[in-house]
Amino acid sequence: MHFRGRYRDETWELRNSKVQNWPNPEEPNYAYTDTRTKLIIDAGAQQIVGETAPVVHLNGEFYGTHKTSTPVHLGDLHTDDHGRLIFVASDGHSWDINHPKYETPETPSAFDNDDWIDPMCDGTVRVAVSSEGSRPIHYQVKNHATIISAPPKFTNGPHCPTTLLDLIEDVYEREKRAKPGYKVPPVNYYEHIDPMFRGMYRNSWTNFRANEGHGPRKAEYFIDNPALYNPSLPNTTRQAIMGRIRAPVKPGDKDNEKLRDKQSYMFYMPRLGGDNGDMPETSTSLNDRDRWASLTELQFDRLTVWSEGNFVTGSAYVPPKTLEEIPVDEQPFALTKAALQWSVGAPLYPGIEVFWHAEYSNKYKLDEPTYRFSDEVTPGDLGKGLSLPWQNDFFMCNTHWWPSVRPDNIVTEQTFEATSQHFQHDHLKIALNLTRRNRWDEGLNRDDDDERVGSAEMVRKWTKLGFVAHQPLEAGGHPIFVEKERHPDFPRTPPSNFGES
């Protein structure tokens, strides 16, 4: 289907409409899209067994409008020396099958481009466990898992205000919330609240506006502040923060719509675009409420309880160095959390790993809250509403979208080194003076009147862009993130002079 936002009417337009279009007189339906075999890149059911097993390649074919197929590599399966499954995604290149793979034309559409191949994919994993010995045991794991191959994560450390973990957790909570006598689950500051604030600080290294409000100059306010983590102290600071949080979306609730109408401007947080398109920077129109991102209802409820002082402090999280340090019964959820906490749960317009339809409760096994999709979700379902190719979305969706995955403004390695030398390695002063930012996608040709120019540039040159990584230096106990590994033939603007703060 053509991409559409959550609040847009379905037009039943198909991508690649010249290939296996709607049969007459059949009424349009979503199930039919799964039968368009010439557009489905299917590696088929593959099996991998044992420790350090030979690599299994996941290869499929794409026909599009051609009579002959184009081979597509979706990824590889490996196992480590403990027999644990490792999925390695494809190389991420996208191309139009009407042109050679590395001779990329401009894409005619923002999100929907016929005859294009995008190796982003998702699929199902089913596991059987066997033991050897005098009494061998064979066990078929009941629930299947899901693998999602997403675009590269160009940052390492920040995560978005609403992660995919938060989104799915809220899906399960909705079922409980609908029952009489519902109460918000107990709130633990370091488990439920602190990660949001640390996330805001970390995103300040990939977004200039976040740096203004949540960067190193404000770090002591949001991180390790007794006024936030000590419930016995007055609620003044907590309620001041709560007063800046945009209300969550409650479908069909007219009072909620009126409240969000009043909050449709940049005073309220998160300052991100929502599921109905880019947020309007200068507008306070009552028609814009769905173009501003909100937290989930569970996140908002937890913040409300916290602001009222009804929480426990808990203990600061210390990440384990190895999986084996985690109790065995907690390891499955730890693996789930490790994947979902660094994935985007909002905004989903259209999204990075999944788009907005991923949150519907009938897609989950709600009677078994193990973060597993139901069998209704077939391979390819989670990603088929995303941008094609992914690079188009990556080029266009800057500033107000996903600075935790797609950086907007960054500190270059050259800027960091110059600042570090100037302030004689005084960590705090270095952090406070890293205000000089460059566009992460600097060097891509662009045309402000035609986004297709920049999108094609992203398709051609995305491998030359840098990664934002945690710098070994610490600023007053808070991490610094700097761009690294940018291709040497992609020069940067020289760093500026630095004045002491």
Side-chain angles (χ1 to χ4, degrees):
M1 301 294 295
H2 268 209
F3 164 76
R4 72 175 176 91
R6 183 196 302 255
Y7 305 109
R8 310 292 174 90
D9 293 334
E10 180 61 82
T11 61
W12 297 107
E13 291 182 81
L14 292 177
R15 288 172 173 165
N16 292 280
S17 60
K18 296 179 182 178
V19 182
Q20 296 169 301
N21 205 334
W22 299 114
N24 290 322
E26 184 174 331
E27 288 293 324
N29 62 84
Y30 289 111
Y32 177 74
T33 62
D34 289 333
T35 69
R36 303 174 74 201
T37 53
K38 291 187 177 181
L39 302 175
I40 297 174
I41 304 169
D42 185 4
Q46 302 291 333
Q47 180 174 289
I48 189 167
V49 180
E51 300 87 357
T52 54
V55 176
V56 174
H57 302 294
L58 302 177
N59 297 318
E61 296 179 331
F62 178 81
Y63 282 85
T65 58
H66 291 203
K67 292 182 179 180
T68 58
S69 65
T70 298
V72 182
H73 177 230
L74 297 175
D76 297 312
L77 299 179
H78 303 249
T79 59
D80 65 10
D81 55 4
H82 292 281
R84 292 178 291 211
L85 177 65
I86 300 170
F87 170 71
V88 178
S90 181
D91 61 11
H93 283 288
S94 305
W95 73 98
D96 180 346
I97 63 172
N98 300 301
H99 295 78
K101 185 173 182 179
Y102 297 102
E103 294 181 14
T104 306
E106 291 182 6
T107 54
S109 166
F111 298 117
D112 306 290
N113 291 283
D114 294 353
D115 271 349
W116 275 75
I117 290 174
D118 184 330
M120 300 303 113
C121 59
D122 59 85
T124 297
V125 178
R126 299 187 184 277
V127 178
V129 179
S130 299
S131 68
E132 297 178 352
S134 58
R135 298 181 64 185
I137 298 173
H138 182 78
Y139 179 71
Q140 183 74 42
V141 177
K142 182 178 179 182
N143 292 343
H144 67 258
T146 300
I147 284 179
I148 301 174
S149 169
K153 185 173 176 63
F154 284 95
T155 66
N156 181 15
H159 61 71
C160 57
T162 296
T163 68
L164 199 51
L165 182 74
D166 295 318
L167 178 69
I168 298 177
E169 186 180 25
D170 186 68
V171 168
Y172 286 105
E173 197 66 22
R174 288 175 199 170
E175 301 295 308
K176 303 172 187 176
R177 194 181 292 123
K179 297 178 180 179
Y182 170 80
K183 292 184 179 180
V184 178
V187 175
N188 180 307
Y189 175 79
Y190 276 110
E191 181 179 353
H192 302 126
I193 308 300
D194 183 62
M196 296 189 205
F197 296 150
R198 290 184 186 272
M200 292 189 304
Y201 167 80
R202 289 175 174 234
N203 277 315
S204 75
W205 295 100
T206 55
N207 179 274
F208 187 75
R209 287 185 174 87
N211 183 54
E212 293 173 336
H214 309 296
R217 296 175 187 275
K218 300 289 183 71
E220 299 303 322
Y221 184 82
F222 289 102
I223 299 175
D224 296 328
N225 181 352
L228 304 187
Y229 68 69
N230 187 343
S232 65
L233 294 180
N235 293 339
T236 308
T237 302
R238 295 191 292 271
Q239 291 184 343
I241 293 173
M242 191 65 208
R244 298 288 301 276
I245 306 299
R246 188 174 294 108
V249 178
K250 298 181 180 180
D253 187 323
K254 296 300 180 183
D255 290 336
N256 173 261
E257 291 179 357
K258 292 178 182 178
L259 175 58
R260 290 191 296 116
D261 282 338
K262 296 177 182 178
Q263 297 177 341
S264 297
Y265 64 103
M266 62 187 70
F267 173 83
Y268 291 93
M269 299 289 111
R271 190 174 172 179
L272 294 171
D275 285 346
N276 203 32
D278 203 353
M279 71 185 199
E281 278 280 15
T282 59
S283 172
T284 57
S285 165
L286 298 184
N287 296 321
D288 292 330
R289 61 174 175 265
D290 295 327
R291 294 177 65 182
W292 297 80
S294 302
L295 301 178
T296 68
E297 195 166 350
L298 180 58
Q299 286 180 299
F300 188 86
D301 287 347
R302 282 171 170 164
L303 281 169
T304 300
V305 170
W306 163 79
S307 71
E308 296 166 348
N310 300 320
F311 67 96
V312 297
T313 302
S315 302
Y317 176 68
V318 179
K321 294 181 180 179
T322 65
L323 181 67
E324 286 72 23
E325 292 181 20
I326 302 173
V328 172
D329 61 334
E330 298 176 15
Q331 288 181 14
F333 181 72
L335 291 171
T336 297
K337 182 177 180 180
L340 297 182
Q341 195 169 38
W342 304 106
S343 302
V344 173
L348 297 173
Y349 185 85
I352 294 294
E353 295 89 2
V354 297
F355 72 116
W356 55 268
H357 82 161
E359 73 171 74
Y360 285 109
S361 59
N362 64 352
K363 297 295 184 183
Y364 296 90
K365 296 185 175 182
L366 295 175
D367 57 334
E368 300 176 22
T370 53
Y371 292 82
R372 295 292 187 266
F373 285 102
S374 73
D375 291 336
E376 297 173 41
V377 179
T378 58
D381 280 349
L382 297 177
K384 63 185 179 185
L386 298 175
S387 174
L388 179 65
W390 67 265
Q391 288 95 337
N392 275 30
D393 197 25
F394 238 60
F395 176 77
M396 292 185 296
C397 291
N398 56 69
T399 308
H400 302 145
W401 295 96
W402 309 290
S404 60
V405 176
R406 191 269 190 219
D408 301 322
N409 315 97
I410 51 84
V411 175
T412 68
E413 207 162 7
Q414 296 92 333
T415 298
F416 173 76
E417 292 298 336
T419 309
S420 181
Q421 293 296 326
H422 184 83
F423 292 103
Q424 300 297 308
H425 301 283
D426 183 319
H427 297 186
L428 183 57
K429 284 187 176 180
I430 292 170
L432 293 176
N433 283 275
L434 285 173
T435 54
R436 162 78 177 190
R437 299 296 172 92
N438 287 66
R439 287 184 67 121
W440 172 71
D441 61 4
E442 181 183 1
L444 298 182
N445 295 326
R446 62 184 69 240
D447 183 338
D448 291 338
D449 296 323
D450 188 351
E451 289 182 324
R452 296 177 302 169
V453 174
S455 295
E457 280 280 278
M458 182 67 81
V459 173
R460 298 183 190 110
K461 300 177 181 178
W462 67 273
T463 58
K464 297 179 182 292
L465 295 166
F467 291 83
V468 178
H470 179 202
Q471 197 65 21
L473 295 178
E474 294 288 325
H478 309 312
I480 295 172
F481 293 88
V482 176
E483 181 201 52
K484 297 177 178 292
E485 298 185 22
R486 184 178 165 94
H487 198 282
D489 71 3
F490 228 36
R492 281 290 191 190
T493 303
S496 62
N497 295 325
F498 305 94
E500 187 166 348
S501 297

